[in-house]
DNA sequence: TTGTACGCGTTATCAA
DNA sequence: TTGATAACGCGTACAA
């Protein structure tokens, strides 16, 4: 079913059908009705491919996600969902590309075959070849996270440094003197994953500012790793009384390790950090944390990208989100004798 | 950058460039090299849109996911990931459409504008208008789950009825006489969500076969709902000693409710069901459950769809997966005096 | 072995 | 108010 067929049946030319649909030039009421009747009867819809070829745009955006091999965190998934929803709201389709590296075939298709009008790039690393690739291709893009150097690029990120710094200050105010930062997986951290690095910066800054003792550990993005990680921390660090983390997927494990050690939160031990709201609320007791606004980020990323597609030459905008820290119940005054108490439990 | 530009710079005709790329007719070594050099220099890749228009196929498949408003379960997300990965492996792109209903604009675009060569439809309900829509559009599709009248369509599903029936028999063998089925959310169940309905069938069948007492409850797809749901069950059903569930997202809540009630698993209370492996393994103690092979399903769905696209007229195939039940540690002999024991704890 | 010419479905432009 | 025609970029039958 194509526009020629419609034109034929309505007894008009193809251009008239096209104009009746687009309204870009007046069509007499009678003609329009005849055309509309045929269209309704046959259920005609213009072919997206032909239209894309003619218009030079696909009405599709690309979303580059980490390959599924490394399981996505809840927050990332929520982000994907919100991007797809936000795009659907403005009649844009979303093409998914699972690619971490630069030489990924699916990524290459995206950038060099004009399959999409723009790209949202997730999980950007501090040095990220994909950014250069997109830049050279002249394809509009928006990064979730940002590279080290680039003020050239348009991005949206969370102020992990500020939030973690803030959370450590919060612990310090409660009398904690020895705290740990539970970061993301070794793979990500060594790959130069921005949030991990910036969380680190914020952590060391706060530790220095308050003259505290601090330890940073990397931790896989899953409950098991979280558990092992905290077990190790508790064993090695007798004076430790608090944890701040950006690893939401590890939270259930952190919880279990503390419970197994007989430590009550927050009376014996405090936990805080940056996490998606569902994770924070599922913690027991509910986690005092900065709620990652994944929904919001998805929407903002889409509108930023649309802006960029419309005006590729305008100076890039950056959005650094600093969500408020929701004071729930997982932090409390430090307990000097954490280890003694725990030992007594056993 | 188009094929004409390449041809021009290489001093040949456009068709020669095209043939040099496709290999569909011999091109002399010298010419080929000249062409290749230009292509390499300019980084040329054929425009996907033009190619799609000419070839009549887009090399893209559509994946219809539930709208993000209702958060996706872990298993669904794993499925999305595996579909995208499997598709990428055979150089297919995946277009995401978040749509539950029939009149969704994004869904309509997918089926009526020829944006995709085929569709994978997630979370099918027993009566699902989308299936009819796809059928009428003549677009190849594969369902994850199946409708009531399922002969016409191609689908992959998990044998929830059989697995739940099996799990109840397992509990019966351990001496349980009074068990509950924790199903999915009221919304899904009333919408006629297949897995929920079939789990119900399997449950009632087994209950009848073993002359047990059984209760079915619907439960939201999140930890909180799971907790409330089990709290209610424990309060209302003094004799209850076991739960089987298809609601993996509720597992953490089930766990907490049991812990709060002072019930140890499996000595005081047994839990089993169907769940994604990560959920089962994160349960404490690890859950005896049928491991939903989400990865496998994604791959199978993609290859089934490819098959269908290649030969749309062949009789539809159905794949009913019945993953083995992994015996872990969450089920044990029934304890006659569950309520007495729990009371003693308090 | 290479070049010419056409068509895919739509829309802008020009002509009537 | 409408119709005819060209063009988007590619693939391929056909001619040379």
């Amino acid at each position: 079913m194509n526009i020629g067929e419609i034109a034929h049946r309505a007894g008009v030319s193809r251009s008239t059908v096209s104009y009746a649909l687009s309204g870009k030039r007046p069509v007499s009421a009678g003609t329009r009705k005849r055309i509309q009747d045929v269209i309704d009867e046959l259920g005609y819809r213009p072919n997206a491919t032909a239209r894309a070829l003619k218009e030079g745009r696909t009405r599709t955006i690309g979303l580059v996600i980490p390959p599924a091999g490394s399981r996505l965190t809840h927050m990332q998934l929520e982000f994907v969902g919100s991007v797809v929803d936000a795009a659907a709201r403005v009649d844009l389709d979303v093409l998914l590309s699972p690619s971490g590296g630069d030489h990924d075939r699916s990524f290459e298709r995206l950038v060099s075959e004009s399959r999409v009008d723009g790209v949202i790039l997730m999980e950007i690393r501090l040095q990220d070849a994909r950014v250069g690739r997109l830049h050279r291709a002249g394809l509009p893009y928006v990064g979730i996270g940002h590279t080290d150097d680039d003020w050239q690029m348009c991005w949206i990120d969370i102020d992990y440094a500020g939030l973690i710094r803030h959370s450590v200050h919060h612990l310090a105010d409660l009398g904690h003197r020895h705290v740990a930062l539970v970061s993301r997986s070794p793979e990500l951290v060594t790959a130069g994953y921005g949030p991990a690095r910036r969380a680190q910066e914020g952590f060391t800054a706060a530790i220095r500012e308050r003259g505290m003792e601090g330890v940073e550990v990397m931790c896989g993005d899953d409950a098991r790793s979280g558990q092992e990680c905290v077990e190790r921390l508790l064993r090695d660090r007798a004076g430790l009384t608090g944890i701040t983390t950006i690893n939401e997927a590890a939270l259930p494990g952190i919880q279990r390790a503390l419970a197994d050690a007989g430590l009550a939160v927050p009376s014996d031990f405090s936990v805080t950090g940056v996490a998606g709201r569902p994770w924070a609320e599922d913690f027991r007791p509910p986690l005092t944390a900065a709620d990652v606004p994944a929904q919001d980020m998805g929407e903002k990323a889409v509108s930023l990208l649309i802006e960029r597609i419309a005006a590729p030459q305008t100076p890039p905008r950056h959005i650094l989100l600093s969500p408020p820290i929701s004071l729930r119940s997982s932090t409390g005054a430090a307990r000097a004798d954490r280890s003694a108490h725990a030992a007594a439990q056993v």
Side-chain angles (χ1 to χ4, degrees), chain A:
Chain A
M1 191 47 45
N2 60 33
I3 201 170
E5 181 70 21
I6 303 293
H8 181 71
R9 301 212 189 191
V12 296
S13 76
R14 302 192 308 176
S15 48
T16 304
V17 175
S18 178
Y19 286 117
L21 280 172
S22 71
K24 290 190 181 174
R25 92 179 178 189
V27 172
S28 74
T31 311
R32 184 170 37 241
K33 171 149 180 28
R34 225 163 356 125
I35 293 172
Q36 195 56 53
D37 287 348
V38 177
I39 286 178
D40 290 344
E41 183 194 337
L42 300 180
Y44 164 79
R45 296 282 301 270
N47 177 298
T49 306
R51 182 203 295 239
L53 180 57
K54 178 64 186 161
E55 289 191 345
R57 59 169 184 156
T58 59
R59 297 168 189 267
T60 302
I61 62 176
L63 179 58
V64 178
I65 62 175
S70 58
R71 280 211 320 271
L72 299 181
T73 68
H74 184 105
M75 180 206 131
Q76 290 171 330
L77 294 163
E78 210 177 333
F79 178 78
V80 172
S82 71
V83 165
V84 175
D85 275 10
R89 247 173 273 134
V90 290
D91 290 333
L92 282 175
D93 283 323
V94 175
L95 205 55
L96 237 45
S97 166
S99 47
D102 182 36
H103 293 305
D104 196 290
R105 289 214 306 281
S106 133
F107 181 74
E108 272 307 312
R109 273 203 304 276
L110 217 59
V111 302
S112 59
E113 294 182 3
S114 307
R115 289 181 105 84
V116 295
D117 299 335
V119 170
I120 294 176
L121 202 50
M122 282 179 73
E123 205 163 271
I124 288 196
R125 294 180 299 274
L126 290 175
Q127 313 283 338
D128 204 308
R130 297 172 300 176
V131 171
R133 184 74 192 80
L134 282 165
H135 211 85
R136 282 194 305 279
L139 197 58
Y141 65 99
V142 169
I144 306 306
H146 56 292
T147 52
D148 247 349
D149 46 349
D150 256 278
W151 291 94
Q152 318 234 27
M153 73 176 284
C154 206
W155 52 257
I156 176 165
D157 206 349
I158 289 174
D159 181 16
Y160 283 97
L163 290 171
I164 287 297
R165 177 167 164 275
H166 192 156
S167 75
V168 172
H169 276 280
H170 169 61
L171 290 175
D173 291 342
L174 289 166
H176 294 263
R177 306 298 308 148
H178 187 170
V179 298
L181 167 67
V182 173
S183 183
R184 298 286 294 277
S185 70
E187 295 80 41
L188 275 176
V189 175
T190 52
Y193 182 55
R197 289 281 266 281
R198 286 186 252 272
Q200 208 170 55
E201 289 167 25
F203 185 73
T204 14
I207 290 292
R208 193 181 49 240
E209 285 158 4
R210 303 298 289 255
M212 301 166 76
E213 185 171 350
V215 53
E216 302 161 13
V217 291
M218 294 175 285
C219 171
D221 295 350
D222 58 284
R224 194 167 327 238
S225 305
Q227 184 168 5
E228 289 164 8
C229 170
V230 172
E231 280 166 359
R232 203 165 38 245
L233 275 175
L234 292 177
R235 196 170 53 237
D236 300 348
R237 300 265 168 170
L240 196 75
T241 58
I243 284 178
T244 185
T245 184
I246 57 167
N247 190 329
E248 54 185 21
L251 281 171
I254 293 177
Q255 172 123 66
R256 287 210 298 253
L258 292 173
D260 288 355
L263 292 170
V265 176
S267 57
D268 299 324
F269 203 93
S270 291
V271 183
T272 182
V274 183
R277 177 183 284 250
W279 290 95
E281 292 181 344
D282 267 1
F283 202 79
R284 297 280 301 278
L287 195 74
T288 288
D291 296 336
V292 176
Q295 292 284 341
D296 194 33
M297 283 182 80
E299 275 173 41
K300 284 205 166 68
V302 170
S303 50
L304 213 51
L305 182 59
I306 291 173
E307 216 179 286
R308 199 101 199 107
I309 292 171
Q313 297 313 331
T314 53
R317 282 178 52 196
H318 314 132
I319 300 181
L320 190 62
L321 296 174
S322 194
I325 296 185
S326 294
L327 204 59
R328 300 197 183 86
S329 335
S330 65
T331 54
R335 170 172 211 122
D337 54 347
R338 188 268 288 172
S339 53
H341 177 72
Q345 297 283 61
V346 181

